[in-house]
Amino acid sequence: MSHIPQIDYATSNEAIRAAHDEEVRIRGRMTNMKRTLLNSPVAHRIYAEWFTLRAELSEIADRPIWIFSHALSKAANSRIALTFFRRALINAGFNPDALLLSEEEALLAAFGKAIVVNSNQIPPEIWTQLKARYDAKTLVDLVAFAGIMLATAVFNNVVQVDFDPELEAFAEGAN
């Protein structure tokens, strides 16, 4: 059970209701994490910058970004985040438990895991490959994106946000 309650829209102040309505308008749904974050519209807005950074990384296709995010989430032991990206992969027709990774996807998965394992010691060969593939702006956006992914994982883990029922079917071992 979550340590922090989700907002109650009916009794929330105008700022919270406005942030809620804008989130639903833009993304079409409201997760338990977002309902919890909305206790602070500022915190919600900051975490929603994940979408801004994803848009900045538009040169990287969805599947490699999902694999990167999946690797970060798995290494951070964040069930909600991990399952969110399992769902993205499954809904796109991929089996997250049996992926054949492209060179780019393998690199991003290794980078994601390395960030969580020890952000002070990313293996030099990973950096060499990243620099050969991406320009400086993309690398900055990718690392910042990873930071928000980790912040999301930490938030979900620390608060113990209630697991979204619609994710149940996509959780590891759900079948």
Side-chain angles (χ1 to χ4, degrees):
M1 183 168 193
S2 182
H3 291 290
I4 301 173
Q6 297 175 31
I7 61 140
D8 174 26
Y9 185 88
T11 61
S12 294
N13 66 41
E14 184 57 36
I16 291 172
R17 284 195 307 273
H20 174 281
D21 294 348
E22 182 65 5
E23 178 67 26
V24 171
R25 184 188 71 75
I26 291 171
R27 292 183 240 297
R29 66 176 179 217
M30 183 61 63
T31 65
N32 290 344
M33 182 189 83
K34 292 174 188 176
R35 281 187 202 94
T36 305
L37 277 167
L38 277 170
N39 282 286
S40 168
V42 171
H44 174 266
R45 180 180 47 78
I46 290 167
Y47 276 72
E49 289 301 318
W50 182 95
F51 294 98
T52 304
L53 282 169
R54 174 60 189 115
E56 288 296 305
L57 291 165
S58 62
E59 71 184 54
I60 303 175
D62 284 338
R63 183 178 139 131
I65 287 292
W66 295 337
I67 289 169
F68 179 57
S69 300
H70 182 271
L72 283 158
S73 302
K74 189 170 185 91
N77 197 28
S78 178
R79 184 174 182 238
I80 291 174
L82 174 65
T83 307
F84 183 88
F85 291 103
R86 285 179 56 82
R87 177 179 66 185
L89 289 162
I90 291 166
N91 283 344
F94 305 110
N95 178 352
D97 299 317
L99 291 171
L100 296 175
L101 301 181
S102 69
E103 185 178 306
E104 179 182 32
E105 291 166 346
L107 173 60
L108 290 173
F111 186 42
K113 182 178 178 184
I115 289 169
V116 177
V117 170
N118 187 346
S119 61
N120 287 309
Q121 293 186 355
I122 304 299
E125 61 273 13
I126 289 177
W127 271 117
T128 298
Q129 292 175 55
L130 288 167
K131 290 177 196 177
R133 183 174 288 275
Y134 305 116
D135 64 19
K137 181 195 179 308
T138 301
L139 291 171
V140 167
D141 290 341
L142 194 60
V143 173
F145 180 86
I148 290 181
M149 272 304 312
L150 282 175
T152 299
V154 168
F155 185 85
N156 284 320
N157 290 351
V158 171
V159 174
Q160 295 180 7
V161 171
D162 295 330
F163 197 74
D164 296 271
E166 65 269 15
L167 291 178
E168 288 293 341
F170 302 96
E172 285 185 322
N175 299 328

